[in-house]
Amino acid sequence: MTAELEQKFVKELETNQNIIHKVCRAYTNNASDHNDLFQEISIQLWKAYEKFRGDSKFSTWMYRVALNTAISLYRKSKRSIKTGELYDNLSELKYEAYDDSVEQQLDQLYKAIYTLNDIEKALVLLYLEDKPYKDIALCLGISEVNARVKMNRTKNKLKEILNP
Amino acid sequence: MEDLKNYKKVWQDQEYTDNQLDSDTITKMIHRRSSSIVKWIFYISVLEFAVLTLINIFAKTDWDELKDMGLYHFIIGISIITYIVPLLFIYLFYKNYKSISVTNNTKELIQSILKTRNTVKYYIYTILSIYAFAILYGFSVAIQAPEYLDIIANYGDNGQLIVWGIVVLFTFLFLGIILLVYLLLYGILLKRLQANYKELLSN
């Protein structure tokens, strides 16, 4: 691939890197795994970039590759820690929110998402990003009806975790 | 779902501020080696093909003795099969491996990974079956040689049955252990992927 294409890709990835960070934070529970997954997603994106035709938005395409990598390609390391210690001592992973209570809510949300299984995580992430059911179904390769059923179940599960 | 709608807003407003990667870091990152499960499957599969093929090539065969036993044509036939079968499977494996694309939907992606892996699994099953058949058939012919008939006679009236029992038992025990270790490794490697596939297909 040409240097020009590489430069273009790196620029786009740099601009949209928050998408990958969100996926990494949902699927891993410590900074080291976060970085490993970030790297794997970036490699997969770059490998697939030549075939990216721009039929969809770069961010949508990026979401698909990032989720696919997290669900199917990434090998979790043995150092994964148990739920409950999620990112607690990791000052380098900070998300800026407008006040403390919002920051807390975001933290609570990530912790709740982490307890879901890999497919449920993908569903919730796409829901939170406001993606239509048609896109969610296309991304996962399931029917729209099935996507709705799974989404309702997952939302209820998430609600229970957030408001026990 | 009011509560979740609030969370949606929080989610969409979040800004990842620290540890933002600059273009230099990203450039270095994308040139590193992938450690994905597909790479692992590829390396392990190539190793399996190589080991089985090397065993085939270097397995010492005493042709003269086999001729005496009347097994010459049988061994030639088996050897040809064990050369053609790997080639056929390597072709299928490569074809499936190439069809793995991270830009497919999740279901297709998992299917293509499992299909690639299954090709190697079926290869192992086929080769093991050929070995089992070769051992048992070879033995059934070899047992007719006078020196073996004398040994069998030592076991009394049921000599034939006892010797057959021992051979069959050891053949299946040997193949069973190989298969068990193999399935265990295979299970560990693909456990998460299979769970995700099951979850995706469930209603």
Side-chain angles (χ1 to χ4, degrees):
Chain A
M1 280 185 252
T2 63
E4 201 186 324
L5 193 72
E6 183 179 303
Q7 232 175 358
K8 192 178 162 219
F9 169 77
V10 170
K11 204 82 221 145
E12 287 203 82
L13 200 146
E14 193 186 354
T15 317
N16 292 286
Q17 64 177 288
N18 275 350
I19 292 175
I20 311 182
H21 283 301
K22 284 179 193 174
V23 172
C24 290
R25 197 173 169 189
Y27 280 88
T28 66
N29 65 1
N30 61 75
S32 178
D33 284 354
H34 182 120
N35 292 338
D36 280 355
L37 181 56
F38 193 106
Q39 179 172 307
E40 191 58 49
I41 292 171
S42 306
I43 295 170
Q44 295 299 335
L45 282 165
W46 173 230
K47 271 164 63 182
Y49 188 62
E50 211 178 17
K51 284 183 192 154
F52 174 62
R53 305 248 175 265
D55 303 337
S56 56
K57 265 168 64 184
F58 183 75
S59 58
T60 309
W61 176 78
M62 209 172 158
Y63 234 108
R64 173 182 277 215
V65 174
L67 286 175
N68 267 343
T69 306
I71 293 171
S72 315
L73 304 182
Y74 176 61
R75 290 188 74 242
K76 274 182 183 161
S77 74
K78 282 181 188 151
R79 62 179 170 256
S80 288
I81 46 175
K82 297 271 176 246
T83 323
E85 304 166 48
L86 311 172
Y87 290 107
D88 278 353
N89 305 314
L90 302 160
S91 56
E92 69 263 44
L93 288 165
K94 272 189 186 156
Y95 288 76
E96 194 165 88
Y98 20 97
D99 63 40
D100 279 354
S101 73
V102 174
E103 172 92 49
Q104 226 174 2
Q105 263 185 302
L106 193 58
D107 192 48
Q108 215 185 353
L109 182 60
Y110 270 114
K111 280 181 181 171
I113 292 173
Y114 191 75
T115 63
L116 301 173
N117 70 41
D118 288 346
I119 304 298
E120 290 169 341
K121 279 180 182 135
L123 283 163
V124 168
L125 258 63
L126 293 166
Y127 162 79
L128 292 168
E129 292 292 341
D130 246 346
K131 300 281 181 209
Y133 278 104
K134 198 179 135 224
D135 290 3
I136 295 173
L138 272 175
C139 180
L140 295 176
I142 54 177
S143 71
E144 217 176 304
V145 177
N146 199 358
R148 279 177 195 276
V149 173
K150 281 189 198 304
M151 184 69 88
N152 278 335
R153 208 181 301 142
T154 309
K155 279 201 282 193
N156 285 334
K157 203 169 161 182
L158 193 67
K159 237 176 120 182
E160 263 176 49
I161 301 167
L162 289 165
N163 308 297
Chain B
M1 291 297 160
E2 199 48 47
D3 289 343
L4 284 187
K5 282 201 175 124
N6 289 338
Y7 279 108
K8 202 187 247 188
K9 187 170 166 32
V10 173
W11 177 271
Q12 285 172 4
D13 288 342
Q14 69 177 308
E15 281 293 330
Y16 190 87
T17 52
D18 288 1
N19 209 16
Q20 284 281 304
L21 305 179
D22 57 30
S23 42
D24 281 349
T25 315
I26 293 172
T27 308
K28 275 185 207 142
M29 209 176 234
I30 61 172
H31 290 296
R32 289 207 186 113
R33 203 182 279 266
S34 159
S35 61
S36 80
I37 191 165
V38 174
K39 273 269 148 91
W40 278 91
I41 287 174
F42 181 78
Y43 291 142
I44 294 171
S45 303
V46 167
L47 192 77
E48 283 164 0
F49 278 122
V51 168
L52 277 187
T53 313
L54 283 177
I55 289 175
N56 261 346
I57 292 170
F58 290 108
K60 290 261 180 267
T61 315
D62 190 340
W63 296 106
D64 290 333
E65 196 179 335
L66 289 170
K67 254 185 198 168
D68 293 344
M69 286 180 180
L71 279 172
Y72 183 73
H73 293 293
F74 173 70
I75 296 291
I76 292 280
I78 287 285
S79 299
I80 292 170
I81 290 171
T82 51
Y83 279 109
I84 292 172
V85 166
L87 287 177
L88 186 74
F89 273 98
I90 287 169
Y91 166 73
L92 288 175
F93 169 73
Y94 186 73
K95 207 175 123 225
N96 291 337
Y97 177 72
K98 279 284 164 199
S99 76
I100 298 174
S101 167
V102 77
T103 52
N104 279 348
N105 66 50
T106 309
K107 191 174 144 194
E108 284 168 351
L109 173 64
I110 300 181
Q111 275 171 341
S112 58
I113 298 173
L114 292 177
K115 203 171 156 193
T116 305
R117 186 57 227 177
N118 279 343
T119 309
V120 189
K121 190 170 79 176
Y122 296 140
Y123 173 59
I124 302 280
Y125 288 169
T126 308
I127 289 290
L128 289 184
S129 305
I130 292 172
Y131 283 166
F133 173 71
I135 292 170
L136 295 176
Y137 180 78
F139 181 73
S140 73
V141 175
I143 209 170
Q144 308 303 328
E147 58 263 45
Y148 291 109
L149 287 174
D150 287 347
I151 298 170
I152 290 165
N154 290 337
Y155 286 97
D157 292 344
N158 290 327
Q160 191 98 351
L161 199 67
I162 293 168
V163 173
W164 262 112
I166 294 169
V167 170
V168 170
L169 189 76
F170 275 95
T171 306
F172 282 97
L173 205 66
F174 167 68
L175 295 178
I177 291 169
I178 295 177
L179 207 62
L180 196 72
V181 173
Y182 180 73
L183 289 178
L184 210 67
L185 290 175
Y186 174 74
I188 294 167
L189 189 71
L190 295 185
K191 197 176 148 202
R192 195 170 139 246
L193 200 66
Q194 265 157 345
N196 285 342
Y197 189 54
K198 213 170 141 190
E199 173 70 24
L200 208 57
L201 294 186
S202 72
N203 287 311

